[in-house]
Amino acid sequence: MDIAIQIICAAIIIVEFITGSAANGFIALVNITDWVKKRKISTVDRILTALAISRINMLWSVFIITLVSSLYPDLEVSMKTVRIKNSTWIVANHFSIWLATILSIFYFLKVATFSNHIFLYLKWRIKKVVSVTLLLSLIFLFVNILGMNIHIDVWTSASERNLSYSSTSKTYTQFHRLIFLINTMFTLIPFTVSLIIFTLLIFSLWTHLKNMRYNVKGSRDPSTVAHINALQTVVTFLLFYTGFFLTLATQVWVSQFLEKNVLFFAAIIITFPSLHSCVLIIRNSKLRQASLSVLCWLRCRSKDVDPFVP
């Protein structure tokens, strides 16, 4: 039964990996091509391009780490391997999560309508908000990597003094549990920001509809449509993000189960950067039009191919 589940999880990982790589590669290719043609690129396209590249990096990182962990489980004993693996994961996950959060912040500032002076100040300086948020996230990245390396150094020193600190001991399980806890804590920060943005968007829409109650434009004016589109994008992001975050949080309490089910957790983790990118293509008009053009081109090419010609 375990072998069957592992085979299913492996198949899911391969499908998600191919889908995610293709979707994110498509987003990056379309925006970069458009950038080269027009000699300029919008802020949202910059965020989407950076997000796509970061997610390709994350997918490859998770895929390689999972492959190595499955084929060579004994490498887990090496602290050097643990350090490299965790640093790679932290960097890849950080940019994937924070760039997606920055995208939500961008949609919020573009769409929301508040008369608050602080909000208006941020709305008028949206490019600076994006840049400052990214810079602040780099501080969290530095602290995360620093805290992780300190924890690994402390455990390495303790293991050298005490031979009972083996890879099969309870202490080694606690070591991995604390690593998962540190990663989850730093993932909680952008997750909280996304929840706040979602709440503020709902409040902004409610306020806008309340003000439009006696307006002849009705409830389907451009601002309302923009609110709904932004909410749909953020809701989709939060749904995938919640599953991703819960998977990380679960690893804190089931470290021993994780060691035996690496493929299961990997299949859940890469769902977020894979499928959410497909949703971004559908929700973005330029990317959606480009994808439809590609599908039409492929359909025409398939009709031109004669199956009987060798």
Side-chain angles (χ1 to χ4, degrees):
M1 185 66 179
D2 291 337
I3 296 178
I5 294 176
Q6 290 181 2
I7 293 175
I8 294 174
C9 290
I12 293 174
I13 290 173
I14 293 174
V15 172
E16 290 179 335
F17 174 76
I18 295 174
T19 303
S21 298
N24 287 292
F26 177 79
I27 293 173
L29 180 62
V30 170
N31 286 330
I32 292 175
T33 302
D34 191 56
W35 185 8
V36 172
K37 289 181 178 179
K38 297 181 179 179
R39 300 294 180 180
K40 63 179 182 180
I41 184 171
S42 64
T43 303
V44 65
D45 286 342
R46 289 181 183 179
I47 299 173
L48 285 170
T49 303
L51 176 60
I53 294 173
S54 69
R55 283 181 166 175
I56 291 173
N57 177 43
M58 181 182 180
L59 287 169
W60 276 96
S61 299
V62 174
F63 184 78
I64 293 174
I65 290 172
T66 304
L67 185 64
V68 172
S69 300
S70 301
L71 298 179
Y72 306 101
D74 293 337
L75 287 179
E76 295 291 335
V77 179
S78 172
M79 285 298 103
K80 183 178 180 180
T81 304
V82 173
R83 192 188 302 273
I84 294 174
K85 185 184 73 171
N86 281 280
S87 297
T88 302
W89 158 254
I90 289 172
V91 173
N93 178 59
H94 174 88
F95 286 104
S96 175
I97 291 297
W98 272 102
L99 286 170
T101 303
I102 289 173
L103 182 64
S104 297
I105 294 174
F106 177 86
Y107 285 140
F108 166 69
L109 292 177
K110 275 289 186 181
V111 172
T113 54
F114 292 106
S115 58
N116 184 277
H117 293 293
I118 297 177
F119 173 80
L120 294 176
Y121 178 85
L122 296 176
K123 188 180 184 70
W124 294 335
R125 294 162 179 82
I126 189 168
K127 291 184 179 180
K128 288 186 178 180
V129 172
V130 170
S131 300
V132 171
T133 305
L134 184 58
L135 288 175
L136 288 175
S137 75
L138 295 179
I139 298 176
F140 291 120
L141 175 62
F142 174 76
V143 175
N144 192 0
I145 294 177
L146 181 63
M148 186 69 63
N149 287 328
I150 290 175
H151 173 58
I152 293 176
D153 290 338
V154 169
W155 193 91
T156 302
S157 300
S159 63
E160 291 175 352
R161 293 193 304 268
N162 192 340
L163 296 178
S164 64
Y165 280 57
S166 63
S167 61
T168 58
S169 66
K170 182 179 179 180
T171 309
Y172 189 76
T173 300
Q174 294 174 350
F175 163 76
H176 273 285
R177 181 173 294 172
L178 185 55
I179 286 180
F180 296 138
L181 179 60
I182 294 173
N183 287 332
T184 304
M185 286 175 57
F186 280 94
T187 305
L188 179 62
I189 298 172
F191 182 71
T192 304
V193 173
S194 300
L195 284 176
I196 294 173
I197 289 172
F198 173 69
T199 304
L200 290 175
L201 268 174
I202 291 179
F203 182 73
S204 176
L205 176 61
W206 176 78
T207 304
H208 175 72
L209 291 177
K210 184 178 179 181
N211 294 334
M212 294 296 296
R213 183 174 299 173
Y214 302 106
N215 195 305
V216 294
K217 291 182 180 179
S219 61
R220 298 300 295 179
D221 65 291
S223 181
T224 303
V225 174
H227 271 86
I228 294 174
N229 289 336
L231 276 172
Q232 290 174 344
T233 302
V234 175
V235 166
T236 305
F237 167 62
L238 277 177
L239 288 176
F240 285 112
Y241 199 171
T242 301
F244 176 81
F245 178 76
L246 291 177
T247 302
L248 293 181
T250 302
Q251 295 179 18
V252 177
W253 310 109
V254 293
S255 299
Q256 293 178 330
F257 177 76
L258 172 64
E259 295 174 5
K260 299 178 181 179
N261 298 271
V262 176
L263 296 177
F264 174 76
F265 281 96
I268 299 178
I269 286 175
I270 67 173
T271 299
F272 176 39
S274 298
L275 299 186
H276 182 247
S277 297
C278 297
V279 174
L280 288 177
I281 293 175
I282 297 173
R283 300 298 309 169
N284 185 283
S285 58
K286 183 178 74 173
L287 295 174
R288 182 173 63 251
Q289 185 61 40
S291 63
L292 292 175
S293 299
V294 171
L295 290 175
C296 290
W297 180 81
L298 291 174
R299 186 179 300 173
C300 293
R301 290 283 297 177
S302 63
K303 290 180 179 180
D304 292 339
V305 175
D306 189 348
F308 298 100
V309 177

